[in-house]
Every structure is written in structure tokens, then in C-alpha cells.
mmCIF file of all heavy atoms in Angstrom:
data_model
loop_
_atom_site.group_PDB
_atom_site.id
_atom_site.type_symbol
_atom_site.label_atom_id
_atom_site.label_comp_id
_atom_site.label_asym_id
_atom_site.label_seq_id
_atom_site.Cartn_x
_atom_site.Cartn_y
_atom_site.Cartn_z
ATOM 1 N N GLU A 1 -0.010 5.014 -1.593
ATOM 2 C CA GLU A 1 0.479 5.388 -2.925
ATOM 3 C C GLU A 1 1.858 6.023 -2.791
ATOM 4 O O GLU A 1 2.117 6.797 -1.877
ATOM 5 C CB GLU A 1 -0.489 6.362 -3.592
ATOM 6 C CG GLU A 1 -0.171 6.625 -5.065
ATOM 7 C CD GLU A 1 -1.185 7.547 -5.725
ATOM 8 O OE1 GLU A 1 -1.866 8.316 -4.995
ATOM 9 O OE2 GLU A 1 -1.306 7.515 -6.963
ATOM 10 N N THR A 2 2.766 5.682 -3.691
ATOM 11 C CA THR A 2 4.115 6.234 -3.675
ATOM 12 C C THR A 2 4.114 7.627 -4.307
ATOM 13 O O THR A 2 3.057 8.159 -4.670
ATOM 14 C CB THR A 2 5.083 5.324 -4.446
ATOM 15 O OG1 THR A 2 4.761 5.373 -5.847
ATOM 16 C CG2 THR A 2 4.988 3.886 -3.963
ATOM 17 N N CYS A 3 5.300 8.181 -4.483
ATOM 18 C CA CYS A 3 5.392 9.501 -5.093
ATOM 19 C C CYS A 3 5.026 9.483 -6.575
ATOM 20 O O CYS A 3 4.839 10.532 -7.184
ATOM 21 C CB CYS A 3 6.787 10.086 -4.898
ATOM 22 S SG CYS A 3 8.094 9.173 -5.737
ATOM 23 N N ARG A 4 4.930 8.302 -7.169
ATOM 24 C CA ARG A 4 4.484 8.175 -8.560
ATOM 25 C C ARG A 4 3.046 7.693 -8.574
ATOM 26 O O ARG A 4 2.714 6.678 -7.956
ATOM 27 C CB ARG A 4 5.379 7.207 -9.339
ATOM 28 C CG ARG A 4 6.757 7.768 -9.634
ATOM 29 C CD ARG A 4 7.568 6.803 -10.477
ATOM 30 N NE ARG A 4 6.971 6.549 -11.783
ATOM 31 C CZ ARG A 4 7.482 5.737 -12.702
ATOM 32 N NH1 ARG A 4 8.611 5.093 -12.446
ATOM 33 N NH2 ARG A 4 6.885 5.551 -13.858
ATOM 34 N N ARG A 5 2.194 8.411 -9.282
ATOM 35 C CA ARG A 5 0.783 8.082 -9.315
ATOM 36 C C ARG A 5 0.560 6.677 -9.886
ATOM 37 O O ARG A 5 1.172 6.266 -10.864
ATOM 38 C CB ARG A 5 -0.005 9.088 -10.179
ATOM 39 C CG ARG A 5 0.005 10.519 -9.699
ATOM 40 C CD ARG A 5 -0.467 10.680 -8.266
ATOM 41 N NE ARG A 5 -1.637 9.933 -7.880
ATOM 42 C CZ ARG A 5 -2.906 10.375 -8.005
ATOM 43 N NH1 ARG A 5 -3.139 11.548 -8.555
ATOM 44 N NH2 ARG A 5 -3.907 9.638 -7.573
ATOM 45 N N GLY A 6 -0.335 5.944 -9.245
ATOM 46 C CA GLY A 6 -0.696 4.606 -9.707
ATOM 47 C C GLY A 6 0.222 3.508 -9.227
ATOM 48 O O GLY A 6 -0.020 2.338 -9.495
ATOM 49 N N ILE A 7 1.289 3.871 -8.519
ATOM 50 C CA ILE A 7 2.214 2.873 -7.972
ATOM 51 C C ILE A 7 2.095 2.896 -6.454
ATOM 52 O O ILE A 7 2.247 3.942 -5.820
ATOM 53 C CB ILE A 7 3.666 3.146 -8.406
ATOM 54 C CG1 ILE A 7 3.773 3.102 -9.933
ATOM 55 C CG2 ILE A 7 4.606 2.120 -7.779
ATOM 56 C CD1 ILE A 7 5.168 3.423 -10.461
ATOM 57 N N PHE A 8 1.825 1.730 -5.872
ATOM 58 C CA PHE A 8 1.586 1.609 -4.436
ATOM 59 C C PHE A 8 2.625 0.670 -3.825
ATOM 60 O O PHE A 8 3.234 -0.145 -4.525
ATOM 61 C CB PHE A 8 0.179 1.063 -4.178
ATOM 62 C CG PHE A 8 -0.913 1.920 -4.769
ATOM 63 C CD1 PHE A 8 -1.241 1.837 -6.123
ATOM 64 C CD2 PHE A 8 -1.615 2.817 -3.983
ATOM 65 C CE1 PHE A 8 -2.239 2.633 -6.677
ATOM 66 C CE2 PHE A 8 -2.615 3.624 -4.526
ATOM 67 C CZ PHE A 8 -2.920 3.530 -5.876
ATOM 68 N N ALA A 9 2.827 0.781 -2.528
ATOM 69 C CA ALA A 9 3.761 -0.103 -1.811
ATOM 70 C C ALA A 9 3.076 -0.619 -0.556
ATOM 71 O O ALA A 9 2.414 0.142 0.162
ATOM 72 C CB ALA A 9 5.049 0.628 -1.456
ATOM 73 N N VAL A 10 3.227 -1.926 -0.296
ATOM 74 C CA VAL A 10 2.564 -2.555 0.848
ATOM 75 C C VAL A 10 3.512 -3.521 1.548
ATOM 76 O O VAL A 10 4.481 -4.001 0.971
ATOM 77 C CB VAL A 10 1.295 -3.327 0.401
ATOM 78 C CG1 VAL A 10 0.248 -2.387 -0.159
ATOM 79 C CG2 VAL A 10 1.649 -4.417 -0.627
ATOM 80 N N GLY A 11 3.222 -3.791 2.812
ATOM 81 C CA GLY A 11 3.982 -4.795 3.551
ATOM 82 C C GLY A 11 5.341 -4.297 4.001
ATOM 83 O O GLY A 11 5.582 -3.103 4.171
ATOM 84 N N ASP A 12 6.268 -5.232 4.186
ATOM 85 C CA ASP A 12 7.574 -4.924 4.767
ATOM 86 C C ASP A 12 8.407 -3.954 3.948
ATOM 87 O O ASP A 12 9.292 -3.287 4.482
ATOM 88 C CB ASP A 12 8.373 -6.219 4.972
ATOM 89 C CG ASP A 12 7.834 -7.070 6.108
ATOM 90 O OD1 ASP A 12 6.849 -6.639 6.751
ATOM 91 O OD2 ASP A 12 8.390 -8.161 6.353
ATOM 92 N N VAL A 13 8.163 -3.856 2.646
ATOM 93 C CA VAL A 13 8.962 -2.959 1.806
ATOM 94 C C VAL A 13 8.573 -1.503 2.029
ATOM 95 O O VAL A 13 9.319 -0.583 1.680
ATOM 96 C CB VAL A 13 8.800 -3.344 0.316
ATOM 97 C CG1 VAL A 13 7.440 -2.879 -0.232
ATOM 98 C CG2 VAL A 13 9.935 -2.784 -0.530
ATOM 99 N N ARG A 14 7.434 -1.267 2.649
ATOM 100 C CA ARG A 14 6.920 0.089 2.858
ATOM 101 C C ARG A 14 7.546 0.719 4.093
ATOM 102 O O ARG A 14 7.654 0.086 5.139
ATOM 103 C CB ARG A 14 5.393 0.051 2.994
ATOM 104 C CG ARG A 14 4.748 1.409 3.220
ATOM 105 C CD ARG A 14 3.247 1.303 3.216
ATOM 106 N NE ARG A 14 2.733 0.556 4.346
ATOM 107 C CZ ARG A 14 2.514 1.064 5.556
ATOM 108 N NH1 ARG A 14 2.815 2.331 5.804
ATOM 109 N NH2 ARG A 14 2.022 0.316 6.520
ATOM 110 N N ALA A 15 7.938 1.960 3.985
ATOM 111 C CA ALA A 15 8.491 2.690 5.115
ATOM 112 C C ALA A 15 7.448 2.813 6.223
ATOM 113 O O ALA A 15 6.266 3.028 5.955
ATOM 114 C CB ALA A 15 8.949 4.079 4.672
ATOM 115 N N GLU A 16 7.899 2.657 7.463
ATOM 116 C CA GLU A 16 7.066 2.793 8.658
ATOM 117 C C GLU A 16 5.982 1.724 8.772
ATOM 118 O O GLU A 16 5.015 1.896 9.522
ATOM 119 C CB GLU A 16 6.428 4.190 8.718
ATOM 120 C CG GLU A 16 7.447 5.324 8.745
ATOM 121 C CD GLU A 16 6.808 6.693 8.816
ATOM 122 O OE1 GLU A 16 5.568 6.779 8.847
ATOM 123 O OE2 GLU A 16 7.548 7.680 8.824
ATOM 124 N N SER A 17 6.111 0.620 8.050
ATOM 125 C CA SER A 17 5.130 -0.468 8.178
ATOM 126 C C SER A 17 5.420 -1.289 9.419
ATOM 127 O O SER A 17 6.560 -1.346 9.898
ATOM 128 C CB SER A 17 5.157 -1.379 6.946
ATOM 129 O OG SER A 17 6.404 -2.049 6.840
ATOM 130 N N VAL A 18 4.392 -1.929 9.958
ATOM 131 C CA VAL A 18 4.544 -2.840 11.088
ATOM 132 C C VAL A 18 4.909 -4.208 10.530
ATOM 133 O O VAL A 18 4.189 -4.754 9.685
ATOM 134 C CB VAL A 18 3.240 -2.924 11.910
ATOM 135 C CG1 VAL A 18 3.393 -3.931 13.047
ATOM 136 C CG2 VAL A 18 2.865 -1.553 12.451
ATOM 137 N N LYS A 19 6.036 -4.765 10.961
ATOM 138 C CA LYS A 19 6.540 -6.012 10.381
ATOM 139 C C LYS A 19 5.830 -7.217 11.013
ATOM 140 O O LYS A 19 6.405 -7.968 11.799
ATOM 141 C CB LYS A 19 8.052 -6.115 10.557
ATOM 142 C CG LYS A 19 8.834 -4.858 10.197
ATOM 143 C CD LYS A 19 8.548 -4.345 8.787
ATOM 144 C CE LYS A 19 9.411 -3.130 8.464
ATOM 145 N NZ LYS A 19 9.035 -2.445 7.238
ATOM 146 N N ARG A 20 4.575 -7.388 10.674
ATOM 147 C CA ARG A 20 3.770 -8.509 11.143
ATOM 148 C C ARG A 20 2.908 -9.004 9.985
ATOM 149 O O ARG A 20 2.515 -8.228 9.099
ATOM 150 C CB ARG A 20 2.860 -8.097 12.307
ATOM 151 C CG ARG A 20 3.587 -7.791 13.611
ATOM 152 C CD ARG A 20 4.087 -9.083 14.276
ATOM 153 N NE ARG A 20 4.639 -8.831 15.602
ATOM 154 C CZ ARG A 20 5.896 -8.511 15.861
ATOM 155 N NH1 ARG A 20 6.738 -8.377 14.840
ATOM 156 N NH2 ARG A 20 6.327 -8.332 17.093
ATOM 157 N N VAL A 21 2.593 -10.294 9.993
ATOM 158 C CA VAL A 21 1.791 -10.870 8.913
ATOM 159 C C VAL A 21 0.431 -10.186 8.829
ATOM 160 O O VAL A 21 -0.040 -9.826 7.748
ATOM 161 C CB VAL A 21 1.621 -12.392 9.107
ATOM 162 C CG1 VAL A 21 0.688 -12.963 8.045
ATOM 163 C CG2 VAL A 21 2.975 -13.093 9.047
ATOM 164 N N ALA A 22 -0.216 -10.011 9.977
ATOM 165 C CA ALA A 22 -1.546 -9.398 9.982
ATOM 166 C C ALA A 22 -1.494 -7.978 9.429
ATOM 167 O O ALA A 22 -2.409 -7.549 8.707
ATOM 168 C CB ALA A 22 -2.117 -9.397 11.397
ATOM 169 N N ALA A 23 -0.450 -7.212 9.761
ATOM 170 C CA ALA A 23 -0.313 -5.852 9.249
ATOM 171 C C ALA A 23 -0.129 -5.867 7.734
ATOM 172 O O ALA A 23 -0.672 -5.007 7.017
ATOM 173 C CB ALA A 23 0.863 -5.157 9.922
ATOM 174 N N ALA A 24 0.639 -6.838 7.236
ATOM 175 C CA ALA A 24 0.851 -6.948 5.793
ATOM 176 C C ALA A 24 -0.459 -7.239 5.071
ATOM 177 O O ALA A 24 -0.747 -6.663 4.015
ATOM 178 C CB ALA A 24 1.875 -8.044 5.499
ATOM 179 N N VAL A 25 -1.266 -8.116 5.649
ATOM 180 C CA VAL A 25 -2.563 -8.434 5.056
ATOM 181 C C VAL A 25 -3.458 -7.194 5.059
ATOM 182 O O VAL A 25 -4.162 -6.905 4.085
ATOM 183 C CB VAL A 25 -3.237 -9.588 5.822
ATOM 184 C CG1 VAL A 25 -4.678 -9.793 5.355
ATOM 185 C CG2 VAL A 25 -2.435 -10.876 5.637
ATOM 186 N N GLY A 26 -3.418 -6.434 6.158
ATOM 187 C CA GLY A 26 -4.186 -5.197 6.217
ATOM 188 C C GLY A 26 -3.762 -4.209 5.153
ATOM 189 O O GLY A 26 -4.597 -3.523 4.547
ATOM 190 N N ASP A 27 -2.457 -4.115 4.909
ATOM 191 C CA ASP A 27 -1.952 -3.256 3.836
ATOM 192 C C ASP A 27 -2.556 -3.642 2.492
ATOM 193 O O ASP A 27 -2.940 -2.787 1.688
ATOM 194 C CB ASP A 27 -0.428 -3.361 3.747
ATOM 195 C CG ASP A 27 0.288 -2.323 4.606
ATOM 196 O OD1 ASP A 27 -0.373 -1.704 5.461
ATOM 197 O OD2 ASP A 27 1.512 -2.141 4.424
ATOM 198 N N GLY A 28 -2.629 -4.947 2.247
ATOM 199 C CA GLY A 28 -3.172 -5.412 0.978
ATOM 200 C C GLY A 28 -4.613 -4.982 0.781
ATOM 201 O O GLY A 28 -5.009 -4.536 -0.312
ATOM 202 N N ALA A 29 -5.411 -5.095 1.843
ATOM 203 C CA ALA A 29 -6.814 -4.691 1.756
ATOM 204 C C ALA A 29 -6.928 -3.186 1.528
ATOM 205 O O ALA A 29 -7.731 -2.722 0.701
ATOM 206 C CB ALA A 29 -7.543 -5.103 3.035
ATOM 207 N N GLN A 30 -6.124 -2.408 2.265
ATOM 208 C CA GLN A 30 -6.199 -0.956 2.137
ATOM 209 C C GLN A 30 -5.721 -0.503 0.759
ATOM 210 O O GLN A 30 -6.258 0.454 0.181
ATOM 211 C CB GLN A 30 -5.361 -0.282 3.225
ATOM 212 C CG GLN A 30 -5.513 1.235 3.253
ATOM 213 C CD GLN A 30 -4.734 1.882 4.374
ATOM 214 O OE1 GLN A 30 -3.860 1.266 4.975
ATOM 215 N NE2 GLN A 30 -5.047 3.135 4.669
ATOM 216 N N ALA A 31 -4.726 -1.183 0.217
ATOM 217 C CA ALA A 31 -4.210 -0.810 -1.100
ATOM 218 C C ALA A 31 -5.287 -0.920 -2.166
ATOM 219 O O ALA A 31 -5.379 -0.070 -3.063
ATOM 220 C CB ALA A 31 -3.006 -1.679 -1.462
ATOM 221 N N VAL A 32 -6.100 -1.968 -2.089
ATOM 222 C CA VAL A 32 -7.149 -2.164 -3.088
ATOM 223 C C VAL A 32 -8.187 -1.043 -3.007
ATOM 224 O O VAL A 32 -8.695 -0.569 -4.032
ATOM 225 C CB VAL A 32 -7.807 -3.551 -2.934
ATOM 226 C CG1 VAL A 32 -9.000 -3.697 -3.874
ATOM 227 C CG2 VAL A 32 -6.778 -4.641 -3.236
ATOM 228 N N ALA A 33 -8.492 -0.580 -1.786
ATOM 229 C CA ALA A 33 -9.407 0.557 -1.655
ATOM 230 C C ALA A 33 -8.815 1.790 -2.338
ATOM 231 O O ALA A 33 -9.524 2.537 -3.036
ATOM 232 C CB ALA A 33 -9.677 0.837 -0.182
ATOM 233 N N SER A 34 -7.526 2.015 -2.153
ATOM 234 C CA SER A 34 -6.870 3.155 -2.802
ATOM 235 C C SER A 34 -6.813 2.979 -4.316
ATOM 236 O O SER A 34 -6.943 3.953 -5.068
ATOM 237 C CB SER A 34 -5.456 3.335 -2.245
ATOM 238 O OG SER A 34 -5.492 3.761 -0.891
ATOM 239 N N ILE A 35 -6.625 1.749 -4.773
ATOM 240 C CA ILE A 35 -6.598 1.481 -6.220
ATOM 241 C C ILE A 35 -7.946 1.818 -6.849
ATOM 242 O O ILE A 35 -8.007 2.431 -7.927
ATOM 243 C CB ILE A 35 -6.211 0.011 -6.483
ATOM 244 C CG1 ILE A 35 -4.716 -0.189 -6.201
ATOM 245 C CG2 ILE A 35 -6.541 -0.396 -7.919
ATOM 246 C CD1 ILE A 35 -4.273 -1.631 -6.185
ATOM 247 N N HIS A 36 -9.028 1.427 -6.192
ATOM 248 C CA HIS A 36 -10.355 1.775 -6.715
ATOM 249 C C HIS A 36 -10.507 3.287 -6.829
ATOM 250 O O HIS A 36 -11.028 3.812 -7.828
ATOM 251 C CB HIS A 36 -11.446 1.215 -5.797
ATOM 252 C CG HIS A 36 -11.740 -0.242 -6.018
ATOM 253 N ND1 HIS A 36 -12.179 -0.720 -7.233
ATOM 254 C CD2 HIS A 36 -11.693 -1.300 -5.175
ATOM 255 C CE1 HIS A 36 -12.380 -2.034 -7.132
ATOM 256 N NE2 HIS A 36 -12.085 -2.403 -5.898
ATOM 257 N N ALA A 37 -10.053 4.015 -5.804
ATOM 258 C CA ALA A 37 -10.153 5.475 -5.832
ATOM 259 C C ALA A 37 -9.319 6.058 -6.966
ATOM 260 O O ALA A 37 -9.764 6.971 -7.681
ATOM 261 C CB ALA A 37 -9.703 6.048 -4.490
ATOM 262 N N TYR A 38 -8.120 5.518 -7.159
ATOM 263 C CA TYR A 38 -7.244 6.002 -8.228
ATOM 264 C C TYR A 38 -7.857 5.735 -9.602
ATOM 265 O O TYR A 38 -7.879 6.623 -10.465
ATOM 266 C CB TYR A 38 -5.877 5.341 -8.119
ATOM 267 C CG TYR A 38 -4.977 5.617 -9.298
ATOM 268 C CD1 TYR A 38 -4.297 6.826 -9.407
ATOM 269 C CD2 TYR A 38 -4.827 4.676 -10.319
ATOM 270 C CE1 TYR A 38 -3.489 7.097 -10.501
ATOM 271 C CE2 TYR A 38 -4.025 4.935 -11.418
ATOM 272 C CZ TYR A 38 -3.353 6.143 -11.511
ATOM 273 O OH TYR A 38 -2.558 6.406 -12.598
ATOM 274 N N LEU A 39 -8.352 4.512 -9.826
ATOM 275 C CA LEU A 39 -8.926 4.170 -11.122
ATOM 276 C C LEU A 39 -10.171 5.002 -11.414
ATOM 277 O O LEU A 39 -10.405 5.412 -12.562
ATOM 278 C CB LEU A 39 -9.249 2.670 -11.175
ATOM 279 C CG LEU A 39 -8.045 1.722 -11.149
ATOM 280 C CD1 LEU A 39 -8.503 0.269 -11.129
ATOM 281 C CD2 LEU A 39 -7.117 1.971 -12.331
#
């Protein structure tokens, strides 16, 4: 989650992310878990 509530960042655009396809896919899965918690 970014500094604004309800807005998330995943993949290469995210600071300190691992620039690999598998890491990007992992970000997507983790983001949805955080979205459920936020909602």
C-alpha cells in the first residue's frame, strides 16, 4: 500500500522491487491479499 490509503503499487514501478517476471506475479498475488484486508 502506498502513502495514500486504498492505493497500491506492484511490479517494476514499486520501489525496491525485484525486476523479474516471477517477482511481479508474486506482487500481484500479495496485493490482492492486502486489498481484501483494506476492504
Side-chain angles (χ1 to χ4, degrees):
E1 189 177 23
T2 69
C3 65
R4 288 183 62 180
R5 298 305 316 271
I7 300 177
F8 302 80
V10 295
D12 288 359
V13 76
R14 180 175 67 83
E16 301 180 0
S17 65
V18 177
K19 313 306 183 190
R20 291 286 187 272
V21 175
V25 171
D27 269 14
Q30 186 177 15
V32 174
S34 292
I35 287 170
H36 279 300
Y38 171 79
L39 293 177

